[in-house]
Amino acid sequence: MAWYYEPAQIWYRETRQERVLRATLAGIQEYNDELRDELASLETTEGVMEYARRELNFVVEGDNVIVVTRDGVPLGEPRSSREAVVSSIPENAQPFGAWTDFLDTVFDID
């Protein structure tokens, strides 16, 4: 029975890595789709104005601006949130669902 362990361990490592890579690829594809949508919106004047307001804090005459702060620091979404999501996929991957931690222990995955 022990001779099954090593092939099973190799299979598990390879399958786990494949699933993590597929999840990473899906995240990157979603990121690219969001970038395409943003790029398409920048082809319109309204899209450029919205981008300038959101990313560059551009204010035009007649705008009412409210800045929420905590300890003197403005609160807001970090500008690189999409990159953070994509880069965290391999760290947070659970390719075998709830069984992942158990199987990692059984097959000695770090």
Side-chain angles (χ1 to χ4, degrees):
M1 209 47 130
W3 55 278
Y4 283 121
Y5 179 77
E6 188 174 347
Q9 182 183 37
I10 292 169
W11 173 85
Y12 177 74
R13 286 179 190 263
E14 296 299 319
T15 304
R16 185 183 195 289
Q17 182 65 18
E18 177 189 10
R19 290 183 180 188
V20 169
L21 290 173
R22 286 185 189 274
T24 304
L25 178 61
I28 291 170
Q29 288 171 335
E30 182 178 327
Y31 174 76
N32 285 342
D33 291 341
E34 290 176 12
L35 286 177
R36 274 190 211 92
D37 292 343
E38 188 172 323
L39 185 60
S41 75
L42 290 174
E43 293 176 355
T44 65
T45 304
E46 295 82 18
V48 172
M49 288 296 289
E50 174 61 31
Y51 179 83
R53 285 186 168 128
R54 184 182 67 242
E55 298 294 325
L56 305 173
N57 300 319
F58 184 73
V59 180
V60 296
E61 189 174 330
D63 281 351
N64 294 319
V65 179
I66 298 172
V67 178
V68 179
T69 64
R70 177 179 292 152
D71 298 327
V73 177
L75 296 178
E77 181 179 322
R79 287 190 173 43
S80 62
S81 62
R82 290 183 296 222
E83 291 93 343
V85 169
V86 171
S87 66
S88 69
I89 290 171
E91 298 165 5
N92 299 328
Q94 292 288 315
F96 291 92
W99 288 94
T100 302
D101 292 334
F102 172 74
L103 291 170
D104 283 356
T105 302
V106 168
F107 291 115
D108 194 30
I109 305 293
D110 297 333

